Amino acid sequence: MAPSGGKTALVFAGGGSLGAVQVGMLRVLLTSGVQPDFVVGASVGALNASYFAGAPNAQGVATLERIWSGLRRSDIFPLTLASVFGLLRHPGNVVDPAGLRRVVEMNLPYARLEDALIPLNIMATNQQGLSVRLSSGPAIEAILASTAIPGVFPPVHIDGEALMDGAIAANTPVRLAAELGASRIIILPTGYACALRNRLGR
């Protein structure tokens, strides 16, 4: 429980395919009785935060696990001869975001950020390298903006502004959670736990 009168926020960090580990973290947090007042996510963390905000329960986490388990690299990064030629025509990005858009469209249970069951805040980055908070408007566009890795995916234009990967401005947007009133902030990182004394296989 958060301190009396305070709010609990889950902050989903960026980290590419390593974002899959956040699913296990969500399962443990729910089992422990954690019920966030809102969620914040950047990059791949925006994907997980968005799905969780639409179904913040054990069933929703189980669905998210199935999504991750069924993903293949080619679903998101379909590097083909056509995409290489596409780079010549559009040197700003290598990958067509259609695959990622399709994955989001097939699985996200709501159309607008404000329609999530718990408040959702997505971090993106503008062309000046400054953070941009997205908490309303088309959900798919916000997610694509936050996951638009420069040089890989094209920037996404929202309200006349070109936005890209939220991890550039803040891979772990803790400050945003604090500014939104959270007195208890739980970070869901990606990658290996720093506290591990021995790496796997040793």
Side-chain angles (χ1 to χ4, degrees):
M1 297 289 292
S4 179
K7 294 181 179 180
T8 294
L10 298 186
V11 175
F12 294 72
S17 61
L18 295 176
V21 302
Q22 294 175 339
V23 178
M25 297 174 194
L26 283 173
R27 188 185 301 117
V28 172
L29 288 169
L30 288 180
T31 301
S32 301
V34 173
Q35 296 180 329
D37 294 288
F38 64 90
V39 295
V40 178
S43 198
V44 71
L47 276 167
N48 287 334
S50 297
Y51 286 120
F52 180 72
N57 50 49
Q59 183 178 351
V61 173
T63 300
L64 184 56
E65 180 179 355
R66 286 195 296 273
I67 294 170
W68 271 105
S69 297
L71 280 180
R72 300 294 177 265
R73 181 195 60 78
S74 58
D75 294 332
I76 308 298
F77 301 107
L79 289 177
T80 62
L81 187 59
S83 68
V84 173
F85 282 113
L87 177 61
L88 298 177
R89 295 194 306 272
H90 308 286
N93 61 280
V94 180
V95 179
D96 184 340
L100 177 58
R101 177 184 289 275
R102 186 162 46 251
V103 169
V104 177
E105 287 178 341
M106 289 175 58
N107 296 287
L108 197 68
Y110 54 91
R112 298 182 64 83
L113 296 176
E114 60 266 35
D115 293 335
L117 294 184
I118 58 175
L120 167 63
N121 302 274
I122 290 178
M123 175 75 78
T125 305
N126 65 19
Q127 297 295 301
Q128 290 72 46
L130 302 176
S131 62
V132 176
R133 171 191 167 216
L134 301 170
S135 58
S136 63
I140 293 174
E141 300 306 313
I143 294 169
L144 291 178
S146 187
T147 55
I149 305 168
V152 178
F153 293 119
V156 176
H157 293 266
I158 297 178
D159 294 332
E161 191 168 25
L163 302 178
M164 54 187 171
D165 197 337
I168 297 171
N171 188 62
T172 309
V174 174
R175 177 178 294 181
L176 175 57
E179 290 174 350
L180 292 172
S183 57
R184 182 191 190 196
I185 299 174
I186 300 173
I187 299 172
L188 285 72
T190 55
Y192 299 106
C194 297
L196 290 178
R197 295 183 179 274
N198 298 308
R199 295 183 180 178
L200 294 177
R202 286 190 174 183

